[in-house]
Amino acid sequence: MLKPCRIAVLVSGGGTNLQALIDAGRRDELGGGELALVVASRPDAYALQRAAGAGIPTAVLPRKDYPGSAAYTHALTQLLREREIGLVVLAGFMHILTEEIVSAYPNAILNVHPALIPSFCGAGAYGLHVHEMALAYGVKVTGATVHFVTEEPDGGPVVLQKAVEVLPEDTPELLQRRVMEQAEWKLLPRAVALFCQGRLRVEGRKVTIDGGDDR
Ligand code: GAR
């Protein structure tokens, strides 16, 4: 049985967004959600150490051990079901997943993206590249988005967004850090809490929050 408040966080790297979830959990700010599993797509992901430090069970499912996205998604979906996960959070998870996981978890997979979708998103737009794209375009404002995952990369219904100013002296690294601090690390725990409280309603592309966003 899937339990809505058992959360799996999927990671590939440093895991600062995972850390934001861990910290929110310690403050009892995840809407009753429990960080039940961290799955890493590579064994050297530093996020695994953060999870271990917080006493969260971990699993490593190396992407390179699987011939393609479909086989990888199948193994991942099985693992999540076995662990009775009800909410899947992609937090710096750098691989595209196929339809199987979306069918298994309809409107129950959240992704954090470091731009204001639909800008600077889709296949190839991940991590530092997103901020390089924003600086190259010359936008004055960027930000972060938390959205539900569908089969279209970065194309699912938007849950929360927050704008962040771009400054003249920004490098991709400086901008990445500011977007994380001002937007991602706040939005992701808030979206998880709203989900666990059963307050997110999805109709077509539109997500409404029962009772409004009371942050
Ligand atoms: C974050 O900025 C996250 O939004 C981004 O990768 C970074 C991971 O950092 N994700 C994507 O670009 C997905 N399209 P973290 O490992 O420190 O959380």
Side-chain angles (χ1 to χ4, degrees):
M1 202 182 84
L2 303 183
K3 299 182 178 164
C5 289
R6 275 177 65 80
I7 304 162
V9 185
L10 277 47
V11 296
S12 299
T16 64
N17 279 287
L18 169 66
Q19 189 66 53
L21 292 169
I22 292 169
D23 294 345
R26 289 198 174 118
R27 296 191 301 267
D28 202 16
E29 287 176 6
L30 287 182
E34 175 203 356
L35 296 171
L37 180 65
V38 169
V39 184
S41 62
R42 36 189 306 163
D44 58 350
Y46 182 70
L48 285 168
Q49 295 187 41
R50 296 182 191 269
I56 304 168
T58 59
V60 180
L61 215 55
R63 174 64 183 81
K64 62 176 181 46
D65 288 0
Y66 294 84
S69 293
Y72 188 69
T73 304
H74 182 66
L76 184 58
T77 306
Q78 274 191 323
L79 172 68
L80 297 171
R81 281 181 181 282
E82 273 164 27
R83 303 294 184 97
E84 301 184 313
I85 296 301
L87 171 63
V88 183
V89 177
L90 311 187
F93 186 73
M94 299 305 183
H95 310 280
I96 289 183
L97 299 171
T98 62
E99 178 275 333
E100 182 177 354
I101 194 166
V102 179
S103 305
Y105 288 94
N107 293 332
I109 309 173
L110 291 171
N111 179 47
V112 59
H113 183 76
L116 292 173
I117 288 174
S119 290
F120 313 122
C121 64
Y126 59 89
L128 205 57
H129 298 308
V130 178
H131 305 290
E132 287 165 359
M133 291 164 79
L135 290 176
Y137 198 94
V139 291
K140 306 296 187 198
V141 169
T142 184
T145 303
V146 176
H147 64 93
F148 282 118
V149 171
T150 60
E151 281 162 66
E152 186 191 341
D154 297 328
V158 170
V159 178
L160 295 173
Q161 288 188 304
K162 190 167 191 291
V164 174
E165 202 179 351
V166 179
L167 300 179
E169 64 274 21
D170 269 341
T171 62
E173 290 79 7
L174 285 171
L175 185 56
Q176 178 181 53
R177 181 76 190 180
R178 187 173 327 106
V179 168
M180 285 175 159
E181 281 176 357
Q182 294 185 8
E184 294 185 54
W185 299 341
K186 296 178 178 165
L187 291 190
L188 188 58
R190 184 145 32 98
V192 166
L194 290 169
F195 180 94
C196 292
Q197 291 166 340
R199 291 171 57 196
L200 298 179
R201 301 261 167 275
V202 187
E203 280 171 57
R205 287 210 49 81
K206 299 226 172 115
V207 179
T208 51
I209 301 171
D210 279 356
D213 189 0
D214 56 0
R215 75 193 131 111

